[in-house]
Amino acid sequence: MKTLLLSIVCLGLTLAAFAQEFDSRAYDDLLKTFVENGRVDYQGLKADPAPLIKHLIWVGQITEAEFNSWADPQQLAFLINLYNASTLQLILDHYPVASIKKIGTLFKGPWDQPAVTLFGKTITLNELEHGVIRKQHNEPRVHMALVCAAKGCPILRNEVYTAEKLDEQLADQSRQYLATSAGLIINRKKGVANISSIFKWYGDDFVSVPDFIQKYSGESIRGMKIRTLKYDWSLNER
């Protein structure tokens, strides 16, 4: 009897692991199909929404107990993927739309809409980002990975975040963003560093913005006049 029970438990764990891997691969395939250079083919995704919907249904069924059994990198990768996938779905629900900021009302913008299913409950993107991700994970590079569907954001990767590659992926996201005119523009002649609004909104998360920028861009902005770049909220569509 013990052997039978053990076999059933092992089979259940194997099937669960396979289901998780399979669904992650499906979402990964979706990103590779519809995302190129950080830009999203929303029209194509709107015409074939089933893989995204199925993925969000699947991740919404992950229990809190199961989630809590994971190591921190797996938790954070899961939450980043959930945020970005839920943002894609929010756009599709209102597509065509020129900007994510056109979604919602005067009193409840896009990030305050019920858009995320986590542990069987529906929450907002703000609750996911500020009440879960930032609260539970001291990782400033998440701001380089959470994509708000705007051209001013860091790019959306065309692959899923994984526990095994998370550190490498977050570092790459940071380097890529700071290499764009949306992330950093330096005018040495005038002694001015123009930096993304992200560093203004979440400055405390980075501890030292100049150190972060130097680490991932190779550029020192110390002693320079700091200005904030105007954020481009137009849709990150291709």
Side-chain angles (χ1 to χ4, degrees):
M1 178 64 70
K2 287 184 178 180
T3 302
L4 177 59
L5 287 174
L6 181 60
S7 298
I8 292 172
V9 170
C10 290
L11 177 60
L13 291 173
T14 301
L15 289 174
F18 174 77
Q20 181 175 344
E21 181 183 8
F22 175 80
D23 278 283
S24 294
R25 286 203 305 262
Y27 180 52
D28 190 70
D29 288 342
L30 179 152
L31 292 172
K32 284 178 168 56
T33 300
F34 295 105
V35 180
E36 183 177 347
N37 296 324
R39 298 289 186 259
V40 183
D41 177 10
Y42 288 108
Q43 186 173 354
L45 192 54
K46 180 81 171 182
D48 184 21
L52 180 59
I53 293 171
K54 287 172 66 177
H55 174 74
L56 288 171
I57 290 173
W58 172 75
V59 297
Q61 293 174 341
I62 298 294
T63 66
E64 189 168 8
E66 182 178 1
F67 176 85
N68 288 335
S69 72
W70 299 343
D72 283 353
Q74 186 176 1
Q75 289 184 1
L76 186 54
F78 173 85
L79 294 171
I80 292 171
N81 289 327
L82 175 60
Y83 185 97
N84 290 341
S86 298
T87 300
L88 286 175
Q89 187 60 57
L90 179 65
I91 296 296
L92 292 188
D93 289 342
H94 297 85
Y95 189 81
V97 64
S99 168
I100 190 172
K101 296 195 80 175
K102 299 292 185 182
I103 298 172
T105 67
L106 180 63
F107 302 103
K108 285 190 175 183
W111 299 282
D112 294 310
Q113 303 298 311
V116 183
T117 302
L118 178 64
F119 310 141
K121 299 178 182 179
T122 302
I123 62 175
T124 69
L125 287 167
N126 266 340
E127 288 172 321
L128 176 57
E129 179 178 5
H130 308 302
V132 181
I133 297 175
R134 293 178 65 212
K135 184 177 181 180
Q136 298 179 5
H137 298 273
N138 181 25
E139 175 52 83
R141 294 176 300 177
V142 296
H143 298 298
M144 306 290 105
L146 300 177
V147 180
C148 59
K151 290 179 179 177
C153 296
I155 67 166
L156 179 64
R157 295 184 78 83
N158 68 342
E159 65 176 7
V160 296
Y161 288 88
T162 66
E164 297 74 20
K165 298 194 299 180
L166 185 60
D167 183 67
E168 175 189 338
Q169 289 173 316
L170 293 178
D172 184 59
Q173 283 289 115
S174 301
R175 288 190 294 267
Q176 285 198 57
Y177 189 52
L178 290 172
T180 69
S181 59
L184 175 67
I185 299 175
I186 294 179
N187 189 322
R188 295 278 177 203
K189 191 173 182 179
K190 295 184 177 180
V192 175
N194 300 277
I195 63 176
S196 170
S197 296
I198 288 174
F199 297 109
K200 177 182 178 182
W201 299 331
Y202 305 110
D204 290 344
D205 288 5
F206 291 94
V207 183
S208 171
V209 170
D211 286 350
F212 184 91
I213 289 176
Q214 184 165 5
K215 180 176 181 178
Y216 292 104
S217 74
E219 300 282 356
S220 175
I221 63 170
R222 292 194 179 279
M224 304 185 76
K225 185 174 182 179
I226 306 298
R227 291 178 180 167
T228 303
L229 290 163
K230 183 178 180 181
Y231 213 76
D232 185 351
W233 288 105
S234 56
L235 192 65
N236 62 340
E237 185 170 21
R238 66 178 172 96

